[in-house]
C-alpha cells in the first residue's frame, strides 16, 4: 500500500511539472543596455588625425600678420666719412641704406667773435663802439644760438683767424676764436628687414620714421 501511494505521488508531480512548463508565461526579455555596445576592432572607424581637422597654418604666420614695411631716415651726418661709417654698420645688420643730401665739407673754417650780448640793442651799441674804434668787418648776428653775438670775421684757416685776433687785441678788443661747425645736410634712408628692430638703429645714428613711398626700391645687402 505505501509503495502504491508513492508511485501515484511521483506520477502526479511529473504531470504537474509537465503542465507548468507547457502553460507557464515566457520570461521577460533582458533590459536593453544603454550606451554604445561592444564592437570588434575591425568594425571601428578610425578618427581623422587632429592635424587634418584643423586648417594648416603656414610656418611663421601662426596668428600673426606680417609687419608693414618700416622705413627710417638716419642722420644728419656732418661729413661723408661719418655717413659712410654708419652705412657700413647698417649693412652688417642686413640693412641697405641710400645716401640722401650732400654732407658739408669736413672743415668749415674758423670764426672770430664776441659772445652774445644781453639784448639786440646792447649788441648794436657795441658794434657802433667797435666801428668808432676802427674795427671793420663787424656785425650783429640775429639767428640761432648765436643771436646778439658780434661777428668779427670768418676765415678758412686757423692762422688767418689768429692774425685777426691779434689785430683786434691791438685795438683793445678781447675777441674769441672757434672752429665753425659745418652744417649737417647728409642722411641715410633705409627700408628695414623684418629681423631688424628700429630702436637698435639709434646705436648707429639718430633715426626717425620715414614714409616708405619716399624711398625707392633698393637691392638687399649683398645683392
Amino acid at each position: 500500500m505505501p509503495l502504491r501511494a508513492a508511485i501515484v505521488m511521483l506520477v502526479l508531480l511529473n504531470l504537474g511539472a509537465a503542465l507548468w512548463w507547457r502553460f507557464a508565461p515566457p520570461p521577460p526579455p533582458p533590459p536593453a543596455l544603454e550606451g554604445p555596445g561592444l564592437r570588434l576592432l575591425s568594425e571601428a572607424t578610425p578618427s581623422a588625425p587632429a592635424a587634418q581637422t584643423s586648417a594648416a597654418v603656414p610656418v611663421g604666420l601662426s596668428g600673426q600678420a606680417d609687419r608693414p614695411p618700416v622705413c627710417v631716415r638716419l642722420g644728419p651726418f656732418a661729413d661723408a666719412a661719418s655717413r659712410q661709417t654708419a652705412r657700413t654698420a647698417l649693412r652688417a645688420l642686413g640693412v641697405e641704406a641710400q645716401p640722401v643730401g650732400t654732407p658739408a665739407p669736413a672743415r668749415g673754417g674758423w670764426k672770430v667773435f664776441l659772445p652774445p650780448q644781453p639784448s639786440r640793442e646792447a649788441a648794436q651799441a657795441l658794434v657802433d663802439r667797435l666801428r668808432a674804434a676802427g674795427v671793420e668787418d663787424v656785425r650783429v648776428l640775429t639767428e640761432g644760438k648765436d643771436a646778439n653775438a658780434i661777428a668779427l670775421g670768418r676765415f678758412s684757416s686757423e692762422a688767418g683767424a689768429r692774425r685777426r685776433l691779434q689785430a683786434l687785441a691791438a685795438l683793445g678788443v678781447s675777441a674769441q676764436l672757434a672752429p665753425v661747425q659745418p652744417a649737417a645736410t647728409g642722411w641715410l634712408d633705409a627700408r628695414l628687414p623684418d629681423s631688424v628692430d628700429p630702436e637698435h638703429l639709434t646705436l648707429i645714428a639718430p633715426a626717425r620714421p620715414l614714409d616708405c613711398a619716399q624711398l625707392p626700391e633698393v637691392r638687399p645687402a649683398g645683392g
Side-chain angles (χ1 to χ4, degrees):
M1 185 69 181
L3 178 60
R4 182 181 299 178
I7 295 175
V8 172
M9 183 63 67
L10 180 61
V11 171
L12 292 176
L13 289 175
N14 289 335
L15 180 61
L19 292 175
W20 186 86
W21 283 107
R22 174 67 180 81
F23 297 103
L33 297 177
E34 297 183 358
L38 297 177
R39 292 187 300 174
L40 298 177
L41 292 178
S42 60
E43 297 176 348
T45 302
S47 58
Q52 297 178 359
T53 59
S54 60
V57 179
V59 176
L61 299 179
S62 55
Q64 183 178 6
D66 290 339
R67 187 184 77 175
V70 176
C71 297
V72 296
R73 171 164 287 179
L74 297 97
F77 300 95
D79 54 67
S82 59
R83 184 169 69 178
Q84 183 58 40
T85 299
R87 191 180 185 189
T88 301
L90 290 170
R91 187 176 289 118
L93 296 177
V95 179
E96 184 62 33
Q98 182 178 9
V100 178
T102 303
R107 300 185 62 181
W110 293 80
K111 64 180 180 179
V112 179
F113 64 100
L114 292 173
Q117 302 300 303
S119 65
R120 177 68 182 275
E121 292 75 14
Q124 188 59 52
L126 179 55
V127 167
D128 293 341
R129 292 198 299 271
L130 291 172
R131 288 174 176 167
V135 178
E136 299 178 352
D137 189 16
V138 54
R139 62 187 180 89
V140 178
L141 299 176
T142 60
E143 298 180 355
K145 64 179 182 179
D146 292 331
N148 298 329
I150 311 300
L152 296 168
R154 186 166 177 170
F155 305 86
S156 59
S157 67
E158 183 179 2
R162 291 197 177 278
R163 287 194 295 268
R164 172 66 166 172
L165 204 64
Q166 293 172 0
L168 291 170
L171 295 174
V173 178
S174 179
Q176 299 180 19
L177 176 68
V180 176
Q181 298 297 329
T185 57
W187 297 269
L188 288 171
D189 290 353
R191 188 188 309 270
L192 303 184
D194 292 343
S195 59
V196 176
D197 187 344
E199 295 184 359
H200 293 168
L201 301 182
T202 57
L203 300 176
I204 299 175
R208 61 182 177 86
L210 177 68
D211 184 0
C212 289
Q214 302 179 22
L215 182 63
E217 292 289 343
V218 295
R219 294 183 303 171

